[in-house]
Amino acid sequence: MTDEPSLGVLLFLPYRHLEDRVLAAVQAAGHPITLAQARVFQRVDQAGSRLTTLARAAQVTKQTAAYLVDQLESAGYLERVPDPRDGRARLIRITAKGRAVVAIARPVQAEIEAEWTARLGPRRSAEFRKSLLALGELTDPFAIPGRSHDQPGPAAGAG
Amino acid sequence: MTDEPSLGVLLFLPYRHLEDRVLAAVQAAGHPITLAQARVFQRVDQAGSRLTTLARAAQVTKQTAAYLVDQLESAGYLERVPDPRDGRARLIRITAKGRAVVAIARPVQAEIEAEWTARLGPRRSAEFRKSLLALGELTDPFAIPGRSHDQPGPAAGAG
DNA sequence: ACAAATAGTCAGAAGTTCTGACTAGTATGA
DNA sequence: TCATACTAGTCAGAACTTCTGACTATTTGT
């Protein structure tokens, strides 16, 4: 660690900064949402998401995702409706109250991105995003076939 | 969310991939280390680190860091020695057993970085790292003055 | 010497996440 | 159509992680 920082730490810093600042703004606006809840909420699609999808995207088990969605539903930020296409599934959707949270989060996110763009300059900034997109294809567990159902993501098959 | 992925998600994917693969390799080698423990262990300096420093770097409270260091110490991966420069402090150091873990982790990390470099190409890869370094200066809570003691990082001053 | 700040600990509570076992609906193929 | 395998989600319980609050010992600055 006296050496140059690892890519892990380097990715961690902006990731966490973004997450923390957006959450702080949401909380400051009077929404008592936790970080774990936010990590699920953030991934709910406008058109509605299935629990399993959220769980995979957030890289937690479906039980964990269910626990957090339950809380967000009780608090009125999310709702569950039957999925017309699949009787087993339910669609998790953002409520009006949830959209109020999105309305707070979005400009903060934009503000941070603007700070980053100012720091890197427009060209490097665009390239940075493109690089992240490329790495996403390499590192998104969705892309990895044959993962089983209860796992939060890769890294499991150890121990 | 039907839109293009946010920078948050984009940073999350490679961060988590790296973390998970390195941890999986360590666990596969027979070291029963958890993700939370690894996040602290990873930040211990060769020359020894103070608990408070580790806590800040990992962005958890010092109590949490202490809890995890206790476990890593019991398991023999870390040790605590008095800090000759400050009677209050102790230096947390990596033991021989801990260095065996580092010896497993390092090449995996290098392998992943090589994959990323292969994907981005050498030029974009170098620029990607430079951009992350620049953003680190912007987002490292160490750089933010006047933060108080028990906080895991920013984002706190909300609610 | 004294006040303020810092390093770390102790105790307890809350929050998150996991494993295992289960129910119900869907898809496939004989 | 029926059996089988698979997928979506839930229930229960345990383990793990993280936090808040209160405290001791030591150092720093005046």
Side-chain angles (χ1 to χ4, degrees), chain A residues 7-93:
Chain A
L7 278 181
V9 170
L10 250 27
L11 288 163
F12 174 73
L13 289 171
Y15 163 63
R16 198 60 196 280
H17 176 84
L18 183 53
E19 194 173 66
D20 286 348
R21 254 176 76 184
V22 172
L23 180 61
V26 168
Q27 289 172 336
H31 298 285
I33 291 178
T34 68
L35 185 52
Q37 288 164 7
R39 284 172 177 160
V40 166
F41 180 82
Q42 184 191 186
R43 289 169 164 87
V44 179
D45 193 282
Q46 278 304 323
S49 299
R50 293 194 185 171
L51 185 63
T52 306
T53 305
L54 289 182
R56 280 196 225 157
Q59 296 186 31
V60 295
T61 60
K62 56 188 179 179
Q63 293 92 328
T64 296
Y67 169 80
L68 296 166
V69 167
D70 283 348
Q71 295 172 349
L72 289 165
E73 188 181 23
S74 300
Y77 298 106
L78 296 177
E79 63 181 354
R80 290 192 240 224
V81 300
D83 184 337
R85 298 217 211 93
D86 189 330
R88 295 165 299 181
R90 298 206 265 163
L91 285 179
I92 294 156
R93 295 196 308 198

Side-chain angles (χ1 to χ4, degrees), chain B residues 15-30:
Chain B
Y15 163 63
R16 197 59 195 279
H17 177 83
L18 184 52
E19 193 174 65
D20 285 348
R21 255 177 75 184
V22 171
L23 180 60
V26 167
Q27 289 173 336

Side-chain angles (χ1 to χ4, degrees), chain A residues 11 18 109-110 112-114 116-117 120-137, chain B residues 3-11 13-14 119-120 124 127-129 131-132 135:
Chain A
L11 288 163
L18 183 53
Q109 218 163 320
I112 296 167
E113 295 202 20
W116 292 3
T117 300
L120 298 180
R123 194 196 60 78
R124 279 179 69 196
S125 189
E127 182 148 317
F128 179 66
R129 174 176 263 276
K130 267 198 292 185
S131 294
L132 280 175
L133 277 166
L135 293 185
E137 288 170 29
Chain B
D3 339 56
E4 47 181 9
S6 73
L7 277 181
V9 170
L10 250 25
L11 288 163
L13 288 171
R119 173 70 194 234
L120 299 180
R124 280 178 68 195
E127 182 149 315
F128 179 67
R129 173 176 263 276
S131 294
L132 279 176
L135 292 185

